[in-house]
């Protein structure tokens, strides 16, 4: 026997031996064959870790779930998760590696808009379907008909805030927003304000990572609004708003909705309404199974980002099953572009905004004494 | 002399062949290395030869990137317009701001450049009608050289590195010339330099403008590579990364800048294979480099060379 | 712009200013004693605050003991950095840029470590004096903020007295101004440098512990505080801790007055422009020292 044949035999023997020790996910028993590789990029470190870590949890849970239910037409799905460290340049490198090195058939993520647009250049050029954990961003994304989004566009987030204002009959609104995410939502909110009969009596901005927004909060208070909108990804403005003794109801954008922020808000986490999707303490009927499974597995309550990632994994699995695992990018993209009822929301990826979430999917939670509760308010359309 | 030539030719051959033998994402990283080399060169000139810590490079990088983005996407102009507009704006800004702040010395100047960087970053965020804010400007076209489209990292690589080599030649000239001599005399003893009637201010402003030019070129190249620019790429963090490049590599040597750029580009990528702990490891690697290799990577390489080279009479090292 | 708003801006500006001042004073003290710009000064704040949080919530220590523990943690980390890294590099006659790279590397390592080991949550501490507030003309300031300002001013005065009146403080100054001369009078220069870092760590930790009840501490806080503290320290002339205090309060007030006077959208632009103008007009720093040229 030649040396190379011995080597090959040894290699196969090793593989067989190793696979006996393979992680028994309880799934491999029901699935067989070559795993279908799907790539994922999330911000597990850096400033975006608050989004990326829950998304990764949701993805891995979904992977287990899909494989437990027989995988994709019998073949297991393998989600390869990479970290872009909240840096769009890194996201680009990871995308190149996943697409050209690992030869994934689709890409999930990233967590941040900048990374999504950067990666989108590559997936679009190479006809790889992508499902991003962001709302649709700059104009160029509308041309990318294979880049779906599982979170609402900022226009919808703005509308959701205004719907609640209308509901509580608040006509004078004071806004406290950050320079990044906040600016984007404000750009959508300003033109909509008139349509909702709402006057923006104060609009104050603070920089990302601001350690204090007391003065801005005081300016908002001085304008005597009926309600205050806070659009931020930090707990600081919430604390400052309560510290300057603003007693009006506070409505916050979905970016502030996480347990980390609530803990950091301390006693300020009260009388704050948030249009979001998943209230783990009181889930909607179709969300219950996911919430229970997540609680069981991670011993924590999920919220929107975990659910979005879970949905994305299931959506792509369904699309791959529909088009066939070797169908290629274009067919897969066609299979993707349609309606889907997810845990987070009802989507329609054939819509212009590549998301199709209707306002009626929003669930309005309210923070009462540091705990999320679900209000009965829903937008009727 | 001939052996040196052979080394250079060998290095060039390896350089030219590299993109064809490495996986695509490595070629991608090599493009970034080239871009960071250009930006780092400017910082290295200021740091190594003028003793100035410049924390505003992300400003000029951003100006170059946004100029390219705006000119090509919003105005539909050819790509060269973006490069030129970015360069002109950056150099003008560097000159206007440089004249007053370069009078400051030491850490005052460092803080002034930091302040400049923070102002620029804040404006990039605020003037979103120009920059697109956090959403950014996407769809920047790939560079097109007389019909040959540089749409792959392996092609763009050559363009970026040729620009990088050109900048290195300019820097080398500046360093070796009388100007360079005057700069170093100014760094080491400004009273002595002044006594030789060297116009310190004009010199420092000159180098600051060159640094801004390099930053802008790097930014424009970046815009065409990533096809997308947004405010998060141009914050103070980025300026700190640029500062790391010459310090790690050894600020007074030009190959050191390449070494530093390689370090800053490849090490995070390699470390990310180790899981979420990779950020910690990168910080530790920086600490390790500075503690164990006080002259930077090139300093260590130089010492290694001297130790390995056989003693030959008549040769200077 | 009402009087009430101006007063609110002053309250907020002074409170923030004292926080910047505490970070700046530590930075200033370290620079004064060792000529090292400590880019991880803000991380001392995070270390101090996080240690206090952990001692309080996980180990159940009483609050004053937890605060002492947090301050001690800052001091110990400062000492460790000096002994493990700075001393070695100083022995090799490393350049100022190398020390800067060292502290930048340490800052990155520490911030990433907090994320990795403690997580991405923000943590609060109980405010001193309870959750109560003082309201003057409709402007609000928390009792804790008043305590913070008082403690900050106290720390500044103590620090000044320390450097000018105590043997240890004078020895530290001597060791940094003229190491060889100091050594001939029997001052252990290396140990003085360690004490410098201990002092810097202590001040940083104190700043972190005091600010956490107002704004939660998390892994991203370090860099922001470092940048503001650096500005405060440089404005004050870099080797004058009292100057750092003045610099910090100046910066805090400029920021908050810019918000009400101009607009919150341009706060950073205005504040940093004023910073640059101050530096150009007062090249010796706000409290100017003859011969102090910023390094």
């Amino acid at each position: 026997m030649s040396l190379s044949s011995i080597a090959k035999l040894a290699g196969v023997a090793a593989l067989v031996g190793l696979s006996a020790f393979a992680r028994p996910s309880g799934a491999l028993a029901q699935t067989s064959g070559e795993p279908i590789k799907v790539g994922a990029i999330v911000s597990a470190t850096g400033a975006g870790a608050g989004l990326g870590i829950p998304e990764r949890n949701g993805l891995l849970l979904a992977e287990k779930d899909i494989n437990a239910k027989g995988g994709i037409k019998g073949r297991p799905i393998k989600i390869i998760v990479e970290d872009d460290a909240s840096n769009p340049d890194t996201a680009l490198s990871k995308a190149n590696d996943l697409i050209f090195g690992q030869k994934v058939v689709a890409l999930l993520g990233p967590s941040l808009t900048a990374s999504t647009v950067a990666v989108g250049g590559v997936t679009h050029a190479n006809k790889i379907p992508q499902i991003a954990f962001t709302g649709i961003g700059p104009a160029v994304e509308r041309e990318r008909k294979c880049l779906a989004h599982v979170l609402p566009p900022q226009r919808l987030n703005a509308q959701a805030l205004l719907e609640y204002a209308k509901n509580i009959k608040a006509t004078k609104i004071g806004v406290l927003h950050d320079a990044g995410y906040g600016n984007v939502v404000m750009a959508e909110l300003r033109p909509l304000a008139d349509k909702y009969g709402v006057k923006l009596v104060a609009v104050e901005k603070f920089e990302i990572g601001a350690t204090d927004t007391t003065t801005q909060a005081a300016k908002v208070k001085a304008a005597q609004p009926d309600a205050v909108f806070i659009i931020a990804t930090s707990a600081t403005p919430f604390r400052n708003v309560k510290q300057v003794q603003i007693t009006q109801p506070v409505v916050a954008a979905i970016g502030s909705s996480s347990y980390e922020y609530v803990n950091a808000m301390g006693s300020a986490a009260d009388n704050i309404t948030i249009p979001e999707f998943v209230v783990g303490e009181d889930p909607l009927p179709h969300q219950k199974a996911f919430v229970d499974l997540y609680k069981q597995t991670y011993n924590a309550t999920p919220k929107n980002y975990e659910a979005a990632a879970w949905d994305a994994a299931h959506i792509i699995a369904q699309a791959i099953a529909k088009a066939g695992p070797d169908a290629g990018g274009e067919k897969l993209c066609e299979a993707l572009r349609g309606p889907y009822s997810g845990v987070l929301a009802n989507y329609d990826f054939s819509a212009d905004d590549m998301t199709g979430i209707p306002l009626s999917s929003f669930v309005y939670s309210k923070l009462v004494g540091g705990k999320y509760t679900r209000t009965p308010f829903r937008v009727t359309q | 002399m001939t052996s040196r030539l052979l080394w250079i030719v060998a290095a060039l051959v390896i350089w030219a062949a590299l993109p064809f033998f490495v996986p695509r994402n490595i070629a991608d990283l090599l493009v970034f290395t080239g871009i960071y080399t250009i930006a780092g060169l400017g910082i290295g000139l200021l740091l190594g030869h003028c003793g100035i810590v410049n924390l505003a490079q992300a400003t000029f990088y951003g100006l170059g990137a946004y100029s390219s983005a705006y000119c090509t996407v919003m105005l539909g102009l050819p790509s060269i317009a973006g490069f030129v507009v970015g360069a002109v704006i950056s150099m003008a800004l560097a000159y206007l701001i440089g004249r007053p702040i370069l009078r400051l010395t030491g850490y005052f100047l460092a803080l002034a450049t930091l302040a400049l960087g923070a102002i620029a970053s804040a404006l990039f965020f605020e003037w979103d009608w120009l920059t697109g804010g956090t959403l950014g400007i996407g769809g920047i076209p790939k560079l097109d050289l007389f019909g040959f489209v540089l749409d792959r990292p392996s092609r763009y690589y050559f363009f970026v590195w040729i620009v990088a080599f050109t900048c290195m030649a300019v820097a080398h000239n500046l360093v070796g010339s009388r100007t360079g001599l005057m700069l170093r005399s100014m760094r080491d003893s400004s009273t002595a330099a002044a006594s030789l009637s060297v116009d310190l201010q004009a010199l420092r402003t000159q180098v600051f403008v060159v640094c801004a030019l390099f930053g802008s070129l790097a930014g424009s190249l970046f815009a065409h590579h990533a096809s997308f620019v947004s405010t998060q790429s141009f914050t103070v963090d980025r300026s700190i990364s640029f500062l790391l490049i010459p310090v790690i590599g050894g600020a007074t040597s030009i190959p050191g800048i390449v070494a530093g750029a390689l370090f800053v580009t490849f090490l995070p990528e390699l470390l990310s294979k180790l899981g979420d702990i990779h950020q910690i490891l990168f910080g530790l690697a920086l600490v390790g480099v500075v503690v164990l290799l006080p002259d930077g990577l090139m300093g260590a390489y130089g010492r290694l060379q001297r130790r390995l080279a056989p003693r030959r009479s008549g040769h200077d090292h | 712009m009402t009087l009430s708003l101006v007063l609110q801006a002053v309250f907020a500006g002074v409170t923030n200013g004292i926080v910047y001042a505490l970070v700046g004073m530590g930075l200033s003290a370290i620079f004064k004693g060792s000529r090292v710009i400590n880019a991880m000064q803000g991380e001392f704040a995070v270390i101090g605050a996080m240690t206090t949080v952990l001692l309080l919530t996980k180990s159940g220590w009483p609050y004053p003991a937890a605060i002492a523990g947090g301050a001690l943690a800052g001091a110990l980390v400062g000492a460790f950095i000096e002994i493990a890294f700075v001393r070695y590099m100083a022995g090799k006659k490393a350049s100022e840029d190398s020390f800067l790279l060292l502290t930048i590397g340490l800052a990155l390592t520490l911030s990433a470590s907090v994320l990795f080991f403690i997580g991405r949550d923000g943590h609060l501490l109980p405010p001193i004096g309870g959750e109560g507030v003082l309201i003057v003309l409709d402007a609000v300031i928390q009792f804790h903020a008043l305590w913070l300002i008082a403690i900050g001013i106290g720390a500044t005065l103590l620090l000044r007295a320390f450097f000018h009146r105590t043997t240890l403080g004078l020895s530290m100054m001597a060791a940094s101004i003229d190491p060889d001369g100091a050594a001939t009078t029997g001052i252990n220069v290396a140990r003085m440098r360690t004490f410098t870092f201990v002092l810097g760590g202590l001040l940083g930790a104190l700043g972190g512990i005091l600010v956490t009840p107002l704004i939660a501490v998390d892994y991203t806080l370090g860099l922001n505080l470092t940048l503001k503290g650096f500005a405060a320290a440089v404005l004050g002339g870099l080797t004058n801790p009292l100057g750092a205090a003045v610099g910090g309060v100046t910066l805090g007030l400029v920021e908050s007055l810019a918000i009400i006077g101009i607009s919150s959208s341009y706060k950073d632009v205005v504040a940093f422009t004023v910073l640059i103008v101050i530096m150009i007009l007062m090249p010796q720093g706000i409290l100017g020292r003859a011969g102090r040229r910023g390094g």
Side-chain angles (χ1 to χ4, degrees):
Chain A
M1 252 206 216
S2 73
L3 205 55
S4 66
S5 318
I6 298 176
K8 277 189 210 146
L9 264 176
V12 171
L15 268 173
V16 171
L18 278 173
S19 63
F21 291 102
R23 175 174 52 90
S25 63
L28 293 174
Q30 284 170 273
T31 56
S32 62
E34 177 97 12
I36 299 177
K37 290 196 273 189
V38 170
I41 302 175
V42 297
S43 300
T45 56
L51 304 166
I53 296 178
E55 285 158 6
R56 188 170 54 186
N57 288 345
L59 283 173
L60 296 176
L61 192 64
E63 181 187 40
K64 266 216 251 197
D65 183 62
I66 293 167
N67 286 336
K69 301 197 168 111
I72 302 176
K73 297 250 171 81
R75 285 171 64 184
I77 187 173
K78 179 151 177 45
I79 304 185
I80 306 171
V81 185
E82 296 282 1
D83 173 20
D84 71 359
S86 308
N87 186 347
D89 303 344
T90 312
L92 198 57
S93 287
K94 297 294 183 190
N96 275 326
D97 181 35
L98 286 168
I99 294 172
F100 299 102
Q102 306 263 19
K103 306 256 192 291
V104 296
V105 302
L107 198 67
L108 303 177
S111 318
L112 300 169
T113 300
S115 300
T116 303
V117 184
V119 166
V122 180
T123 55
H124 181 70
N126 293 279
K127 306 214 192 323
I128 305 271
Q130 184 182 347
I131 305 183
F133 306 136
T134 55
I136 196 168
V140 70
E141 289 208 290
R142 281 173 200 265
E143 296 161 27
R144 295 182 177 161
K145 294 299 179 193
C146 282
L147 215 184
H149 296 265
V150 284
L151 284 168
Q154 303 316 331
R155 187 190 159 79
L156 209 69
N157 282 325
Q159 273 184 290
L161 293 169
L162 289 165
E163 286 284 345
Y164 191 73
K166 193 167 93 177
N167 180 48
I168 59 173
K169 307 216 188 330
T171 50
K172 292 190 297 171
I173 305 284
V175 185
L176 197 52
H177 71 95
D178 77 12
Y181 167 59
N183 256 5
V184 176
V185 177
M186 276 316 292
E188 301 290 351
L189 207 147
R190 273 184 229 264
L192 288 172
D194 284 331
K195 287 209 195 98
Y196 279 82
V198 145
K199 189 163 182 304
L200 297 174
V201 296
V203 180
E204 296 299 325
K205 193 188 90 165
F206 57 89
E207 71 279 18
I208 298 177
T211 55
D212 176 67
T213 64
T214 310
T215 315
Q216 291 96 324
K219 277 177 88 178
V220 169
K221 177 175 159 196
Q224 297 177 324
D226 298 325
V228 173
F229 286 177
I230 299 183
I231 308 169
T233 50
S234 143
T236 309
F238 295 93
R239 286 184 64 70
N240 295 148
V241 157
K242 288 295 177 356
Q243 281 159 1
V244 298
Q245 318 280 294
I246 286 179
T247 50
Q248 293 90 327
V250 172
V251 192
I254 191 176
S256 313
S257 177
S258 85
Y259 293 102
E260 292 84 40
Y261 294 139
V262 171
N263 289 335
M265 286 183 212
S267 57
D270 194 59
N271 197 14
I272 299 175
T273 305
I274 308 177
E276 49 171 328
F277 299 96
V278 177
V279 182
E281 290 79 355
D282 185 7
L284 296 173
H286 70 272
Q287 297 170 334
K288 205 157 181 327
F290 164 69
V291 172
D292 289 340
L293 181 61
Y294 193 94
K295 278 194 186 154
Q296 226 180 355
T297 318
Y298 291 108
N299 207 14
T301 315
K303 282 200 81 63
N304 309 297
Y305 300 108
E306 296 89 331
W310 163 278
D311 275 347
H314 280 93
I315 292 165
I316 202 69
Q318 190 189 72
I320 297 174
K322 195 158 136 198
D326 302 309
E330 293 205 31
K331 287 243 162 55
L332 193 49
C333 179
E334 267 178 55
L336 182 61
R337 299 202 65 202
Y340 182 89
S341 290
V343 167
L344 190 85
N346 291 322
Y347 306 99
D348 187 354
F349 301 115
S350 61
D352 272 340
D353 64 5
M354 297 306 296
T355 319
I357 296 178
L359 269 174
S360 52
S361 274
F362 277 93
V363 172
Y364 286 77
S365 70
K366 190 162 174 175
L367 276 170
V368 177
K371 296 260 175 282
Y372 283 102
T373 62
R374 180 160 62 89
T375 68
F377 177 67
R378 300 293 291 275
V379 177
T380 45
Q381 283 180 310
Chain B
M1 185 55 194
T2 341
S3 74
R4 187 146 175 221
L5 196 60
L6 265 167
W7 272 113
I8 293 180
V9 170
L12 276 173
V13 168
I14 296 176
W15 169 82
L18 211 49
F20 300 108
F21 289 99
V22 295
R24 183 170 166 137
N25 67 320
I26 304 281
D28 197 59
L29 288 174
L30 286 169
V31 171
F32 270 114
T33 308
I35 293 174
Y36 284 3
T37 302
I38 297 170
L41 260 174
I43 304 287
L45 280 173
L46 280 171
L47 188 66
H49 302 279
C50 308
I52 294 175
V53 171
N54 179 6
L55 286 167
Q57 188 70 318
T59 304
F60 304 112
Y61 187 66
L63 282 171
Y66 280 122
S67 298
S68 283
Y70 200 83
C71 286
T72 52
V73 176
M74 315 297 212
L75 299 177
L77 296 172
S79 319
I80 187 81
F83 279 88
V84 170
V85 169
V88 167
I89 296 179
S90 293
M91 291 197 288
L93 184 70
Y95 184 74
L96 287 170
I97 309 259
R99 304 248 8 238
I101 70 172
L102 287 167
R103 277 179 230 290
L104 301 168
T105 55
Y107 289 110
F108 281 111
L109 180 53
L111 181 61
T113 59
L114 181 64
L116 174 62
I119 292 172
S121 177
L123 287 175
F124 286 151
F125 273 98
E126 182 61 21
W127 290 347
D128 51 8
W129 44 270
L130 189 62
T131 63
T134 1
L135 288 186
I137 303 179
I140 303 169
K142 298 290 183 192
L143 278 187
D144 182 334
L145 289 179
F146 313 108
F148 187 64
V149 184
L150 304 175
D151 59 356
R152 248 164 276 167
S154 50
R155 291 185 186 176
Y156 199 55
Y157 170 93
F158 291 105
F159 184 75
V160 169
W161 277 100
I162 289 173
V163 176
F165 288 145
T166 315
C167 293
M168 285 195 253
V170 169
H172 184 77
N173 262 347
L174 191 62
V175 162
S177 68
R178 248 186 98 227
T179 314
L181 206 56
M182 291 197 276
L183 286 171
R184 282 188 295 287
S185 72
M186 171 174 66
R187 176 197 66 189
D188 294 334
S189 170
S190 49
T191 27
S195 73
L196 297 169
S197 71
V198 173
D199 186 350
L200 304 175
Q201 262 311 91
L203 275 183
R204 297 170 96 184
T205 314
Q206 248 181 44
V207 182
F208 192 65
V209 170
V210 170
C211 178
L213 171 65
F214 285 176
S216 176
L217 284 177
S220 293
L221 287 169
F222 167 68
H224 287 284
H225 180 61
S227 289
F228 166 74
V229 291
S230 100
T231 49
Q232 281 101 313
S233 299
F234 311 117
T235 57
V236 172
D237 283 340
R238 177 71 70 210
S239 288
I240 295 177
S241 298
F242 287 146
L243 183 64
L244 292 180
I245 296 172
V247 182
I248 294 171
T252 50
S253 90
I254 287 172
I257 308 286
V258 180
L262 280 166
F263 186 94
V264 166
T265 323
F266 276 90
L267 195 62
E269 175 65 24
L270 286 170
L271 291 174
S272 71
K273 305 265 183 261
L274 300 171
D276 286 354
I277 203 170
H278 68 97
Q279 294 262 33
I280 302 178
L281 294 176
F282 184 70
L284 287 174
L286 283 177
V287 173
V289 164
V290 77
V291 171
L292 300 170
L293 305 172
D295 314 321
L297 295 171
M298 286 320 285
Y301 176 68
R303 275 181 283 132
L304 193 68
Q305 244 189 346
R306 281 193 292 279
R307 210 178 289 181
L308 293 178
R311 290 185 193 288
R312 267 184 278 194
S313 59
H315 261 255
D316 29 283
H317 288 276
Chain C
M1 195 186 343
T2 63
L3 183 59
S4 163
L5 266 181
V6 173
L7 194 54
Q8 182 71 74
V10 169
F11 282 159
V14 173
T15 309
N16 293 330
I18 296 282
V19 175
Y20 303 155
L22 281 167
V23 179
M25 285 198 291
L27 216 148
S28 204
I30 290 180
F31 186 77
K32 192 183 176 78
S34 65
R35 307 224 33 109
V36 171
I37 288 285
N38 185 15
M40 63 156 279
Q41 190 63 24
E43 304 300 329
F44 282 134
V46 175
I47 290 170
M50 280 296 186
T51 306
T52 307
V53 167
L54 290 172
L55 288 174
L56 188 67
T57 57
K58 290 271 162 61
S59 310
W61 287 22
Y63 198 24
I67 291 180
L72 188 64
L76 287 174
V77 174
F80 173 73
I81 289 172
E82 199 282 324
I83 296 172
F85 304 112
V86 178
R87 197 176 287 192
Y88 178 75
M89 287 171 66
K92 302 254 167 168
K93 303 272 184 264
S95 68
E96 279 190 353
D97 311 325
S98 299
F99 283 113
L100 186 62
L101 181 61
L102 170 73
T103 56
I104 291 177
L106 288 170
L108 289 174
T109 307
L110 272 157
S111 161
S113 302
V114 172
L115 173 62
F116 187 74
F117 291 111
I118 301 183
R120 61 195 191 278
D121 297 29
H123 295 272
L124 287 171
L125 282 172
I128 302 174
E131 299 261 352
V133 295
L134 177 68
I135 304 185
V136 178
L137 286 178
D138 237 12
V140 180
I141 184 164
Q142 291 98 290
F143 286 148
H144 179 85
L146 291 169
W147 277 105
L148 189 157
I149 294 171
I151 294 174
I153 295 176
T156 312
L157 295 172
L158 271 175
L159 200 64
R160 189 169 171 74
F162 172 76
F163 273 123
H164 288 264
R165 312 260 169 127
T166 66
T167 320
L168 184 59
L170 286 165
S171 308
M172 281 164 73
M173 281 220 294
S176 85
I177 293 172
D178 184 0
D180 295 324
T184 60
T185 62
I187 294 175
N188 185 337
V189 174
R191 194 183 304 167
M192 289 305 122
R193 203 173 45 227
T194 311
F195 282 144
T196 294
F197 273 83
V198 165
L199 187 61
L202 198 65
L203 283 167
L206 187 66
I209 295 168
L210 284 174
V211 83
T212 298
L214 296 174
I215 55 163
V217 62
D218 70 9
Y219 68 99
T220 62
L221 186 63
L223 182 64
N224 287 326
L225 284 181
T226 303
L227 293 176
K228 295 285 167 77
F230 180 57
V234 172
L235 272 184
L238 250 190
T239 55
N240 184 353
L242 187 62
V246 174
V249 175
T250 306
L251 183 59
L253 281 171
V254 168
E255 283 185 331
S256 55
L257 291 172
I259 292 172
I260 57 167
I262 300 173
S263 105
S264 58
S265 305
Y266 288 99
K267 161 199 155 208
D268 272 348
V269 176
V270 173
F272 284 114
T273 308
V274 171
L275 197 75
I276 294 178
V277 169
I278 291 178
M279 283 197 293
I280 292 177
L281 294 178
M282 291 190 244
Q284 314 292 19
I286 294 183
L287 284 196
R289 271 281 134 129
R292 173 87 293 271
R293 290 174 73 241

